[in-house]
Each structure stands twice: as C-alpha cells, then as structure tokens.
Amino acid sequence: MAASGQARHASGLMARLHNFCAGPAALPAAVLEQARDDMLEWHGRGLSFMEMSHRSPEVVGVVEGAESCLRRLLDIPDDYAVLFLQGGASTQFAAVPLNLVPPHAPVDYLDTGHWSLKAIAEAQRFADVQVVASSAASRYTDIPARSTWRCRDNAGYLHYCPNETIGGVEFFAEPEVDVPLVADMSSTLLSRSLDVSRFGVIYAGAQKNIGPAGLTLVIAHRELLGRARHTCPSMLDWTIASDNGSMYNTPPTFALYLAALVFDWLEAGGGLAAMETVNRRKAGTLYTAIDNSAFYSNPVAPECRSLMNVPFVLADAGLDGRFLEEASAAGLLNLKGHRSVGGMRASLYNAVPQASVDALVAFMHDFEQRCS
Ligand SMILES: *Cc1c(COP(=O)(O)O)cnc(C)c1O
C-alpha cells in the first residue's frame, strides 16, 4: 500500500494521494486538471481568469452560469436568492441575526456541537439567543428529541447545524418548526438532494463540497431580504449583495470559477441523487468496517451518523500516533481528529472517491492485524 501511495506519474510528478481533510477538502481531479489547462490563458482570451475584471462579460458570464447550474442541482425555487459572498460561514454567524432581526429580538438556536456553539456565541452579541435544546449531555453523540425543544413562538428564526463536521452528527430530516429555519450547511450542502423550500436561509463556507476557501454561499428566501438593521455593515447585508448580483465589491473571481467547474462536474456526474448514492456507499463502507471491529469505534447514534465526516477512536489511544504516521506513509492523509475530540476523523466529501475509502479500510484492517 505504501508503494501505491507513493506511486509517481510517468511525468515524474507525485501522484495525488488519498485526502480525508475536513476542510479545505479534496477537489475533483477533473476540476483541477481543467483549472491547470486554463491557468495561463482562459478560453483563448490571452489572459488568465484571475486577471480579468469582475465586470467583464467573461467573469459575469461564469458567475451567472455557476448560479444557474447550482439552481438546477439543488432545484432552488425562484423565490430564493443565491448569493456568493466572502468571509466564510463564520461571518454568517453574525450576518444571520444582523439581516433577520432587530437588536435584542428573540432568536432560537439548537446546540448539537462545536459549530452550533460558535454560531450561538456570535449571535449572542446581536440578539436575545435561547438555546432550545442541547446534546451536550451525550457529549454531542445524538440529536435532542424534537419533543424536548423549548421553541418560542415569537423567535425570529430557528438556527441549527445539519451536519456537525467535528462530532460527525447529521440530520436526515428537517426539523418541524413554525419560524424560518436557518441552517449552517457548510459540510453537507451538495452531498445529497435537499428540499430548499423547507428553509428560510441556508449558508455554507465553500471549502468542503463547493470549491476552494474564500467563497461563501447564501441561499435566502426573498421574503427574508430587506430586513437588515441599519447598523448592519454593507458587506454583510444580503439585500445589498442581492441587489448587486453578488458584486457589491470585488468578488473572489478565481474561487467562483473553480466552484463553477465543481458544479459542472456534479451535473455531469448525474447530479445530487447520483452523488448521494456514491456518498452513502462510501460512508457505509467505513462505518461497517468500524462496527465490525473491536479495535475501532464511532460514538455517534447510528440514526444520525454523518455521511461526510466520520470520527473514530482506537481502543488503545496510545496507538494514535503510530496509526497516523503509518496511514500517512501509506498515502492516507489528514486523518487526525479535531483537537477538541482527539482520535481520528475521515472526511468523505464528494471529491473523495470510493477507492480512497477502500484504501483506508484496507489499511485499518491491516493495522489492526499487526497491533492486536
Ligand atoms: C467548516 C465549517 C465552518 C467554518 O467555516 P469557515 O468558512 O471557516 O468560517 C462552520 N460551520 C461548519 C458546519 C463547518 O463545517
């Protein structure tokens, strides 16, 4: 396995290894090859895409094309705005209350782990936040039963994180609530089909399934635009972004170009239904390997195990360092768990192929044989 991990192309370049990084994550090889071919000169224009004015018909055309393709992939209804922004999902933690409610207004948040807590802490600076329920008591290994949530009728919205990237906890049904649903979908958007009409606002940093870091996606029901506080910075105001075609200032043009290629790649591969089939098989392969061994374990309740992020621990944490070293030598990269939980984590985003998961499972089996 080490030999295949270190295989070299005939060109002498290092082969691409298996990348399980939680983010920035693997990008499809076909997208990177296209970007390489376009690098110095884009479509015969005599300059690279990066060097073009964002007001040029070329760049505007790519951005409009990206939006159309994304609308087809997610079947986004016309009464939703699609915004391409910057600042990552973390900036949206503030933008959400600033755009949706007046100062001190009640807003509800569900706490299912690390990213829920980050969103809650930021929102507390701008609104009256109530945590409707928390899975802290289970160490974030499940989702609090809907019947236990203390929702407020007058809340401006309910915020939740449909896939906790660090804990590896995913929702497979949208919560039933009477207020607009706001979701941080950074690590799940585009991994499977989705009913956008169930949401008020969806946002995501790009560097998991969308493209490179530097781009942030917001999908917002148009009814929720026009509500930003007058103190909301212009750069965070969704209505200003919408009115300016996501070009109120210079957008991250190269990241948009790469995202457009990723959307095309998804569509050419059969769209999100096809992607979901691939992703379910990948996750199934890894969870089955973990569950069939006494050497590895995953603490998450089976009904909410993430398709994208699979944390697991070794029965003997003393072997963690050796596992990571040998995995890396075998061409299996970025398997270290988040510093807050330890152990391992394999992220299985769209661009990670079944072959990478098969290689990981084979390595895990081999390591277990040698160490137990
Ligand atoms: C990665 C991630 C973030 C952080 O995104 P940035 O773009 O770095 O701000 C927030 N929420 C979730 C669920 C994530 O996976």
Side-chain angles (χ1 to χ4, degrees):
M1 184 168 301
S4 78
Q6 286 157 8
R8 280 162 194 278
H9 285 310
S11 62
L13 290 174
M14 194 76 179
R16 284 172 56 75
L17 304 179
H18 303 291
N19 183 7
F20 300 97
C21 192
L27 284 162
V31 165
L32 296 175
E33 281 164 0
Q34 181 68 50
R36 176 199 59 202
D37 293 347
D38 288 347
M39 185 60 75
L40 290 181
E41 195 195 350
W42 185 83
H43 293 204
R45 298 299 201 282
L47 70 173
S48 86
F49 194 81
M50 271 181 274
E51 301 166 297
M52 292 178 186
S53 165
H54 58 294
R55 309 283 177 202
S56 66
E58 287 88 349
V59 174
V60 171
V62 165
V63 175
E64 286 175 354
E67 177 176 338
S68 306
C69 192
L70 183 70
R71 283 184 180 276
R72 289 194 298 274
L73 283 168
L74 281 166
D75 201 8
I76 301 175
D78 288 342
D79 51 357
Y80 283 74
V82 171
L83 309 174
F84 296 114
L85 308 174
Q86 299 188 62
S90 303
T91 298
Q92 296 307 314
F93 294 163
V96 164
L98 288 170
N99 275 278
L100 293 178
V101 294
H104 313 296
V107 293
D108 284 351
Y109 279 67
L110 179 66
D111 169 27
T112 53
H114 179 94
W115 291 112
S116 297
L117 287 171
K118 287 265 185 169
I120 289 165
E122 188 73 345
Q124 280 167 340
R125 302 157 65 101
F126 304 106
D128 165 29
V129 173
Q130 170 165 293
V131 176
V132 298
S134 168
S135 51
S138 77
R139 310 196 71 205
Y140 296 118
T141 56
D142 58 12
I143 294 169
R146 174 67 185 85
S147 56
T148 66
W149 301 9
R150 293 172 305 118
C151 296
R152 293 179 287 187
D153 294 336
N154 63 342
Y157 58 84
L158 181 121
H159 178 283
Y160 79 118
C161 182
N163 185 63
E164 285 282 359
T165 319
I166 292 171
V169 169
E170 181 164 0
F171 288 69
F172 292 98
E174 289 83 36
E176 301 281 349
V177 288
D178 299 326
V179 298
L181 203 50
V182 177
D184 172 6
M185 292 212 175
S186 295
S187 52
T188 177
L189 194 70
L190 301 181
S191 68
R192 52 193 175 92
S193 356
L194 178 73
D195 182 359
V196 171
S197 72
R198 298 290 305 275
F199 295 87
V201 179
I202 290 166
Y203 64 92
Q207 65 274 17
K208 280 73 183 235
N209 271 332
I210 298 170
L215 178 68
T216 311
L217 182 66
V218 172
I219 302 169
H221 198 289
R222 293 189 202 277
E223 249 176 27
L224 297 172
L225 299 181
R227 300 184 183 191
R229 306 175 185 185
H230 72 276
T231 52
C232 178
S234 304
M235 281 296 294
L236 300 192
D237 187 324
W238 298 332
T239 309
I240 290 180
S242 173
D243 290 347
N244 288 276
S246 295
M247 295 206 187
Y248 177 69
N249 78 329
T250 315
T253 51
F254 196 65
L256 277 161
Y257 151 81
L258 282 167
L261 293 180
V262 170
F263 299 160
D264 289 344
W265 172 81
L266 275 169
E267 195 165 54
L272 298 188
M275 197 72 252
E276 176 166 351
T277 304
V278 173
N279 286 334
R280 286 193 182 275
R281 179 160 170 242
K282 280 154 49 186
T285 301
L286 182 50
Y287 284 118
T288 301
I290 292 169
D291 289 345
N292 286 344
S293 123
F295 192 80
Y296 303 102
S297 64
N298 167 287
V300 179
E303 67 278 8
C304 54
R305 284 175 164 185
S306 171
L307 296 179
M308 292 288 102
N309 311 98
V310 184
F312 60 95
V313 294
L314 275 53
D316 175 3
L319 289 170
D320 283 5
R322 183 171 158 202
F323 180 95
L324 289 167
E325 244 168 63
E326 292 189 15
S328 196
L332 303 159
L333 307 182
N334 292 313
L335 286 165
K336 193 172 170 35
H338 190 268
R339 58 187 185 280
S340 65
V341 295
M344 315 300 155
R345 172 177 46 168
S347 292
L348 311 180
Y349 297 118
N350 291 347
V352 176
Q354 177 73 37
S356 290
V357 182
D358 293 342
L360 171 60
V361 165
F363 168 80
M364 287 168 68
H365 184 70
D366 179 59
F367 186 83
E368 176 174 353
Q369 298 292 308
R370 286 184 286 112
C371 294
S372 52

